[in-house]
Amino acid sequence: MAQDIATNGGMISAAFKRQFHDAFEVKCQQTQSVLQVLTTDRGQIQGSSFTVNDLGTVEMEAMTTRFADTKWSVPEAGTRLVAMADYGLFVPIDPRDEAKLSANPTSPYMQACLAAEHRQRDKVIIAAAGASVQRKTADGESYTNLALPSTQIIGANATPVNKAKIAKARALFRKNHADNAPLYFIYNSEILEQILVDDELTKWDRDTIQAIQDGDVAKKWGGFIWLPYEDLPAGTGSTEQAPVGRTFVVAKGGIHYGRNSISNFDITVRGDKSNTKQIGGIASYGAGRSNEQKVVALDFVR
């Protein structure tokens, strides 16, 4: 029988292969903790809270009388209480989905969960920088909220981040004798843009002009180590019509941070959910200021 080439010639195309994607395109996201480096890491915390002890200063005094009675100088001392808070994340993978995919979602899902865990650490740390901390100066469980003093806050004053604000922050650490440790300046994309378009700032340090032009200020500049972090809070007096942002400049150890893994991030099979794979875990975090002189809040117009 003669073959109908015109009719049958295109049938082979029904068997053409389809290229399925064999990987997952992971959404751009922060995957590692940025702010943990500026803290005093207390490690694994056993319990629902941990304490931070602080101690004031003492000064020498002139002794003008011979055989005088001893005069004691007792420094102010306090104990700060940092409460832990629990956070969890669980992602299901239906076993029927895995057979229909060319890619195994297990690894990318786990990476996404771990990235979220690291971001939560930073959320706790940035919140602690500006929040009141519970402090007591006498025995017992009577704590008083201690806020970041106004002397440690650089107001927005209808201006973006500029040379004057950066210099003021640096001067505060020198005034407080708190500049003998690494100083960290937390910045986001808005602050980066304000720095790069400020001619006064780009002329400030000749050695870093090229780095700034390349968009790299994540290095020591102006006396600070620059840490990129996008989720900065709103500043004082911020409104929708007049948005104000707030960042923080922190001396190493000005914030104490602790973590406790309640349930490690792992992969389990849920028999009660039709053998669905479950990726996730539970962790507890806590952070609090250890010294107000080691933290500066800097507000800026967005």
Side-chain angles (χ1 to χ4, degrees):
M1 178 182 295
Q3 300 297 313
D4 187 346
I5 301 299
T7 301
N8 299 342
M11 289 185 178
I12 188 62
S13 62
F16 282 179
K17 293 192 298 182
R18 179 178 296 171
Q19 177 66 49
F20 289 97
H21 200 179
D22 58 2
F24 284 90
E25 295 298 329
V26 180
K27 181 180 179 180
C28 293
Q29 58 188 300
Q30 177 189 329
T31 59
Q32 295 292 326
S33 172
V34 174
L35 306 183
Q36 195 171 337
V37 66
L38 61 79
T39 68
T40 293
D41 194 336
R42 300 285 293 271
Q44 295 289 322
I45 302 299
Q46 302 300 323
S48 61
S49 62
F50 65 91
T51 60
V52 181
N53 297 327
D54 60 56
L55 188 66
T57 60
V58 291
E59 300 294 342
M60 298 289 288
E61 294 188 24
M63 299 183 66
T64 57
T65 304
R66 300 185 66 194
F67 310 116
D69 292 338
T70 301
K71 184 177 180 181
W72 288 333
S73 295
V74 181
E76 180 188 357
T79 297
R80 299 160 186 249
L81 180 67
V82 179
M84 304 290 287
D86 301 334
Y87 299 88
L89 173 62
F90 297 95
V91 177
I93 303 176
D94 194 295
R96 294 171 298 177
D97 295 339
E98 293 185 83
K100 301 172 186 176
L101 295 170
S102 297
N104 181 359
T106 303
S107 178
Y109 279 29
M110 176 61 83
Q111 293 174 17
C113 288
L114 294 176
E117 193 269 334
H118 280 275
R119 290 196 300 272
Q120 187 58 51
R121 301 183 188 191
D122 286 350
K123 291 176 183 178
V124 171
I125 292 170
I126 197 74
S132 295
V133 61
Q134 295 187 61
R135 183 175 183 265
K136 68 176 182 178
T137 56
D139 192 18
E141 293 301 317
S142 180
Y143 291 87
T144 301
N145 284 334
L146 178 62
L148 186 68
S150 59
T151 53
Q152 294 295 110
I153 300 175
I154 300 173
N157 298 325
T159 57
V161 174
N162 54 23
K163 182 177 180 180
K165 288 186 176 183
I166 296 175
K168 177 65 175 178
R170 185 65 183 81
L172 280 174
F173 286 104
R174 174 80 296 272
K175 180 181 179 180
N176 294 336
H177 303 280
D179 57 352
N180 56 351
L183 305 178
Y184 297 91
F185 199 118
I186 304 169
Y187 76 98
N188 66 357
S189 56
E190 295 170 308
I191 294 175
L192 174 60
E193 183 178 6
Q194 292 176 9
I195 288 174
L196 294 180
V197 300
D198 189 328
D199 291 338
E200 187 67 23
L201 280 175
T202 54
K203 295 176 181 177
W204 187 5
D205 188 343
R206 293 288 182 182
D207 294 335
T208 58
I209 289 178
Q210 186 59 52
I212 294 172
Q213 289 176 341
D214 293 339
D216 177 18
V217 293
K219 60 188 296 183
K220 194 163 186 179
W221 178 67
F224 301 106
I225 299 170
W226 294 71
L227 299 178
Y229 181 71
E230 285 301 309
D231 296 329
L232 294 178
T236 302
S238 179
T239 64
E240 186 174 348
Q241 293 73 28
V244 174
R246 169 168 287 189
T247 188
F248 294 93
V249 191
V250 183
K252 174 72 174 179
I255 298 173
H256 282 221
Y257 161 81
R259 176 183 179 273
N260 185 23
S261 179
I262 299 174
S263 171
N264 285 324
F265 277 77
D266 57 11
I267 303 173
T268 59
V269 176
R270 293 285 303 273
D272 61 328
K273 297 293 183 182
S274 302
N275 288 338
T276 295
K277 285 185 179 180
Q278 177 178 285
I279 298 176
I282 304 173
S284 187
Y285 310 93
R289 277 194 318 275
S290 62
N291 188 332
E292 280 62 48
Q293 292 180 323
K294 288 187 174 183
V295 177
V296 171
L298 190 152
D299 291 348
F300 60 97
V301 172
R302 287 179 148 158

